[in-house]
Amino acid sequence: MSKILGIDLGTTNSCVAVMEGGKPKVIHSKEGRNTVPSVVDPIKRVVGDVAKRQIVINPKNTIFSVKRLMGHRFTDESVSRDIKWLPYAIKSGRDGMAVVEVNGKTFTHKKSLP
Amino acid sequence: MKTKMKQKVEDMEVQLDPIMDEVEEATSQVELERDEYKNKLLRALADYHNLEKRVADERQEFGRRAVQNFILRILPFLDNLEQAEVFVKDKGLEIVKASFLELLEKEGLKRIDVLNKDYDMHVAEAVDLVEGEKDNVMVEVVRNGYEFNGQIVRPAQVKVSKKVS
């Protein structure tokens, strides 16, 4: 039986809920939290709290605050501002959209979000 | 007589056709509604079975989490005792800390041993990067991490080494 999932995708934290008996029920993280940090390491394939813990030693491979780039072109003023402080590489992708580059691979926001 | 009868049957068939079409349409509509209700019932049953399982799991989880939350709240007190031990060399303090730790360990708490091991993001949070002889080793523990009945309740905070050539 297929399930209906809803995702509230936040810049800092995200929340996932499943429809049960016509009502949404929030899925807790392994740590028991209702929300998980919107952080992902696409190389090690870890997300949330675990990915966030290694951000200090692995800043170039840990993607966070990626919602800021969603729907923006690489040449947009907001992207130019974000490039200055975000530690991971941001490049121009298909149709000039801003994409994230980690270890030589480019990730669109859809692919990189946890 | 035979021809008349045949004509009558044909007339009746013509009259019956739209009625048959209506019946067919109504049947397919009813079948659609039946399938929809059947799907809803199956979904409701699956939801119920999932809920039953989840309620049982949650009941167990609530008890475990209640103890875990309490332990999480008293861990800073243990941290303070350990910090105090660094500056105050007192036998009494040592005994208090040891007995407190023993009590927590009996409840299922276990300190995560991370010092001089390769960095593991599942058990420790890196708070700083420092020069070292090897790469990616947890060389200093800033705050101890603990697991409770096999689950991480608080990851350790560590400084991780980076080899500078």
Side-chain angles (χ1 to χ4, degrees), chain B residues 78-142:
Chain B
L78 184 62
D79 294 336
N80 291 341
L81 280 178
E82 278 169 350
Q83 283 294 315
E85 220 178 17
V86 174
F87 301 104
V88 184
K89 300 290 174 203
D90 183 76
K91 191 74 186 160
L93 181 66
E94 209 177 289
I95 293 166
V96 167
K97 197 204 93 180
S99 64
F100 185 51
L101 197 57
E102 191 188 332
L103 173 82
L104 292 172
E105 279 171 352
K106 270 184 189 166
E107 287 298 318
L109 192 79
K110 195 180 158 203
R111 181 176 295 170
I112 309 166
D113 186 19
V114 292
L115 196 61
N116 295 324
K117 289 186 175 172
D118 282 347
Y119 175 69
D120 179 359
M121 67 190 95
H122 293 97
V123 295
E125 178 189 353
V127 292
D128 203 359
L129 199 59
V130 292
E131 276 185 34
E133 290 171 7
K134 280 184 181 174
D135 255 346
N136 214 36
V137 175
M138 297 184 271
V139 286
E140 189 183 329
V141 179
V142 178

Side-chain angles (χ1 to χ4, degrees), chain A residues 1-4 18-22 25 28-33 41 44 46 50-51 53-54 56-57, chain B residues 39 42-43 46-47 50-51 54 58 65 68 119 121-129 136 151 155 160:
Chain A
M1 182 60 62
S2 58
K3 283 275 173 196
I4 302 164
V18 61
M19 285 302 279
E20 258 185 13
K25 184 173 171 57
H28 301 277
S29 71
K30 203 177 171 189
E31 291 81 13
R33 291 172 53 183
D41 179 336
K44 291 177 187 154
V46 285
V50 178
R53 280 175 207 154
Q54 47 111 51
V56 169
I57 58 165
Chain B
N39 277 338
L42 285 174
R43 194 179 284 276
D47 277 349
N50 285 339
L51 191 69
R54 185 170 293 171
E58 274 181 356
R65 207 166 284 282
Q68 184 179 314
Y119 175 69
M121 67 190 95
H122 293 97
V123 295
E125 178 189 353
V127 292
D128 203 359
L129 199 59
N136 214 36
Q151 272 203 321
V160 181

Side-chain angles (χ1 to χ4, degrees), chain A residues 40-47 50-51 61 105 107, chain B residues 121-122:
Chain A
V40 58
D41 179 336
I43 305 301
K44 291 177 187 154
R45 300 182 77 84
V46 285
V47 297
V50 178
N61 293 357
K105 288 182 191 167
F107 295 89
Chain B
M121 67 190 95
H122 293 97

Side-chain angles (χ1 to χ4, degrees), chain A:
Chain A
M1 182 60 62
S2 58
K3 283 275 173 196
I4 302 164
L5 275 177
I7 302 170
D8 172 7
L9 192 64
T11 307
T12 312
N13 292 299
S14 295
C15 182
V16 182
V18 61
M19 285 302 279
E20 258 185 13
K23 285 181 183 171
K25 184 173 171 57
V26 171
I27 301 173
H28 301 277
S29 71
K30 203 177 171 189
E31 291 81 13
R33 291 172 53 183
N34 284 343
T35 57
V36 287
S38 307
V39 183
V40 58
D41 179 336
I43 305 301
K44 291 177 187 154
R45 300 182 77 84
V46 285
V47 297
D49 281 309
V50 178
K52 196 178 173 183
R53 280 175 207 154
Q54 47 111 51
I55 209 163
V56 169
I57 58 165
N58 199 11
K60 288 190 188 302
N61 293 357
T62 312
I63 304 172
F64 61 96
S65 292
V66 78
K67 195 178 158 188
R68 301 175 69 90
L69 308 172
M70 283 178 85
H72 285 286
R73 292 185 178 279
F74 182 72
T75 49
D76 283 358
E77 201 185 313
S78 67
V79 175
S80 306
R81 269 200 309 271
D82 289 335
I83 285 174
K84 286 178 190 161
W85 69 274
L86 286 169
Y88 48 82
I90 300 161
K91 304 269 160 129
S92 176
R94 200 163 55 171
D95 301 326
M97 300 304 283
V99 294
V100 176
E101 190 181 86
V102 178
N103 262 13
K105 288 182 191 167
T106 53
F107 295 89
T108 61
H109 314 122
K110 274 186 202 163
K111 271 189 193 169
S112 59
L113 284 162

